[in-house]
Amino acid sequence: MATVSVYNIEGKEVGTIDLNDSVFGVEVNDHLVHKAVVGQLANNRQGTQKAKTRAEVSGGGRKPWRQKGTGHARQGSTRAPQWTGGGIVFAPVPRDYSVKMNKKEKRAALKSALSSRVEEKKFIVIDEINFDEIKTKKFQTVLDNLKINKALVVLEDDNKNAELSARNIPDVKTARTNTINVYDILKYNTVIATKAVVAAIEEVYA
């Protein structure tokens, strides 16, 4: 088992914790991690783009001039692509960009991402983060004490004050145990989690 230090909100080491190897010590599968990131970014795309082809734009029902004798190039419709107001060639249409991953692949990718952060010593465990009020300055002080600037902070589901306190800090994102994902874990330099969150993650994914 990997053993990491546990810190308090003052940035002082207050103990250690053993991480479950079945979650935080697996062999990193780069292929699944890449697939998970590509899938998440693709699933976020709306795919609602639309433009009209020459068959869909209005007008252009009659030939603008006769075929021969005018000195102009022959034209069959004023809604051909070369005309102003004409249709678009190969116009984009609504489509579904989603990429499917089965449940085992998603779990394996998440474990790989967490394990890579532990291996890189970028997984910080805090005993608890409890605020009696919503205060951005207090949360920033915690980050300063830990000497961290760009971080993903995973909190308990009922820790609303801490979640709202971190909302306006640049390069800091909060997540819950049921919303963590591979993309966010890799995007931020450090992952911060409380002891309660670590226990919840191990309970779900072990």
Side-chain angles (χ1 to χ4, degrees), residues 21 173 185:
D21 282 344
K173 181 176 181 179
I185 291 172

Side-chain angles (χ1 to χ4, degrees), residues 156-202:
E156 305 90 340
D157 293 346
D158 57 351
N159 200 342
K160 199 69 176 178
N161 284 351
E163 183 178 344
L164 294 176
S165 296
R167 184 167 56 178
N168 289 332
I169 301 178
D171 294 329
V172 171
K173 181 176 181 179
T174 59
R176 301 183 180 183
T177 53
N178 61 343
T179 63
I180 56 174
N181 58 77
V182 176
Y183 176 75
D184 285 340
I185 291 172
L186 299 181
K187 177 181 178 181
Y188 293 89
N189 295 337
T190 307
V191 177
I192 301 174
T194 63
K195 290 177 66 176
V197 165
V198 172
I201 291 175
E202 290 180 343

Side-chain angles (χ1 to χ4, degrees), residues 29-68:
N29 189 323
D30 293 329
H31 169 69
L32 284 182
V33 171
H34 177 266
K35 185 176 180 180
V37 172
V38 170
Q40 184 175 341
L41 294 177
N43 295 344
N44 288 339
R45 298 182 68 177
Q46 291 184 327
T48 55
Q49 71 277 25
K50 178 70 174 76
K52 293 182 178 181
T53 64
R54 64 181 296 171
E56 296 170 313
V57 293
S58 61
R62 65 185 291 271
K63 195 172 172 67
W65 50 72
R66 67 179 190 267
Q67 181 80 345
K68 295 177 179 294

Side-chain angles (χ1 to χ4, degrees), residues 1-205:
M1 285 189 175
T3 301
V4 297
S5 299
V6 178
Y7 299 89
N8 59 19
I9 58 175
E10 283 80 32
K12 298 178 181 178
E13 185 175 342
V14 294
T16 60
I17 185 174
D18 293 328
L19 300 178
N20 192 326
D21 282 344
S22 64
V23 179
F24 297 98
V26 303
E27 183 179 352
V28 178
N29 189 323
D30 293 329
H31 169 69
L32 284 182
V33 171
H34 177 266
K35 185 176 180 180
V37 172
V38 170
Q40 184 175 341
L41 294 177
N43 295 344
N44 288 339
R45 298 182 68 177
Q46 291 184 327
T48 55
Q49 71 277 25
K50 178 70 174 76
K52 293 182 178 181
T53 64
R54 64 181 296 171
E56 296 170 313
V57 293
S58 61
R62 65 185 291 271
K63 195 172 172 67
W65 50 72
R66 67 179 190 267
Q67 181 80 345
K68 295 177 179 294
T70 64
H72 296 297
R74 56 193 177 188
Q75 301 290 333
S77 170
T78 57
R79 291 299 175 259
Q82 71 270 21
W83 284 74
T84 299
I88 303 298
V89 181
F90 305 127
V93 295
R95 55 167 290 190
D96 181 13
Y97 288 97
S98 62
V99 175
K100 292 184 179 180
M101 285 186 70
N102 63 47
K103 185 181 290 186
K104 286 186 177 180
E105 287 180 322
K106 289 179 181 179
R107 291 170 68 94
L110 185 64
K111 290 179 182 180
S112 290
L114 290 171
S115 298
S116 68
R117 281 293 181 244
V118 173
E119 186 178 333
E120 297 163 357
K121 301 188 185 306
K122 294 181 178 179
F123 188 84
I124 306 298
V125 180
I126 295 184
D127 54 354
E128 60 179 5
I129 306 178
N130 288 326
F131 295 158
D132 54 4
E133 60 179 340
I134 300 172
K135 201 74 173 177
T136 301
K137 189 174 182 179
K138 290 182 67 174
F139 203 101
Q140 183 62 58
T141 301
V142 174
L143 296 176
D144 294 340
N145 292 338
L146 295 170
K147 296 180 174 59
I148 293 172
N149 49 16
K150 187 176 183 180
L152 173 68
V153 184
V154 190
L155 300 168
E156 305 90 340
D157 293 346
D158 57 351
N159 200 342
K160 199 69 176 178
N161 284 351
E163 183 178 344
L164 294 176
S165 296
R167 184 167 56 178
N168 289 332
I169 301 178
D171 294 329
V172 171
K173 181 176 181 179
T174 59
R176 301 183 180 183
T177 53
N178 61 343
T179 63
I180 56 174
N181 58 77
V182 176
Y183 176 75
D184 285 340
I185 291 172
L186 299 181
K187 177 181 178 181
Y188 293 89
N189 295 337
T190 307
V191 177
I192 301 174
T194 63
K195 290 177 66 176
V197 165
V198 172
I201 291 175
E202 290 180 343
E203 182 180 354
V204 173
Y205 294 98

